[in-house]
Amino acid sequence: MWARATCRASIYRGTMPSDFGDPVPDNTTPAATGVLAAIEERDSRVWDPATQTARVVRVAKAAMPSTTDILTGDRVRDNTYGVLYLVQNVTRPRVAGRVPDVQLDLKRIGDDGG
C-alpha cells in the first residue's frame, strides 16, 4: 500500500432476507477483515443552483491495497472508530512502473461509536 494507513477495515458484501423476505444489507458477516485502509473525511464546498447558495458537505475517500477485492455497493467498516461507509465508486488507476492503490469514494452511513 502506498498511502499511509489510518485504520484496519472490514469489508461487508451481500444481503440477507428480513423477517418479511426483503433483502437488507448483511453487516454481520465480513467478506474480508484486517484490510489496511487510508480513510479521509473532509469538507467540500459545492454550489446549489436551486437556492443560489454555497453549501459545505462532508466527502469521504479511501485508499486500499491494489489487491483488495472490493466492489461498488460494498460496505466498509473502519474498525478503529466504528464508522460504516457505503462504497459509491471504485477506481483502479493505472500507472507505469508500479501498481497504485485502489481509490474509493465513500458515503458515511453509520456509526457505532466504537
Side-chain angles (χ1 to χ4, degrees):
M1 185 164 155
W2 295 92
R4 179 176 290 189
T6 59
C7 68
R8 292 214 178 247
S10 297
I11 299 171
Y12 297 90
R13 180 176 296 153
T15 59
M16 61 184 197
S18 69
D19 294 337
F20 303 104
D22 298 324
V24 294
D26 182 5
N27 292 332
T28 58
T29 308
T33 59
V35 179
L36 288 174
I39 299 175
E40 177 185 0
E41 286 189 43
R42 58 190 149 117
D43 294 335
S44 179
R45 180 164 264 194
V46 296
W47 180 256
D48 183 10
T51 60
Q52 295 295 307
T53 58
R55 306 270 183 197
V56 176
V57 295
R58 296 287 290 172
V59 177
K61 297 197 176 276
M64 290 186 173
S66 60
T67 57
T68 305
D69 177 26
I70 191 157
L71 305 170
T72 301
D74 288 352
R75 291 160 310 282
V76 174
R77 182 179 185 274
D78 177 344
N79 292 334
T80 303
Y81 299 105
V83 180
L84 189 65
Y85 299 94
L86 174 68
V87 178
Q88 293 183 312
N89 190 33
V90 177
T91 305
R92 297 185 186 272
R94 304 199 190 282
V95 177
R98 66 177 173 92
V99 180
D101 296 335
V102 174
Q103 303 295 317
L104 309 172
D105 294 328
L106 304 174
K107 178 180 181 182
R108 188 175 183 156
I109 58 172
D111 186 353
D112 66 6

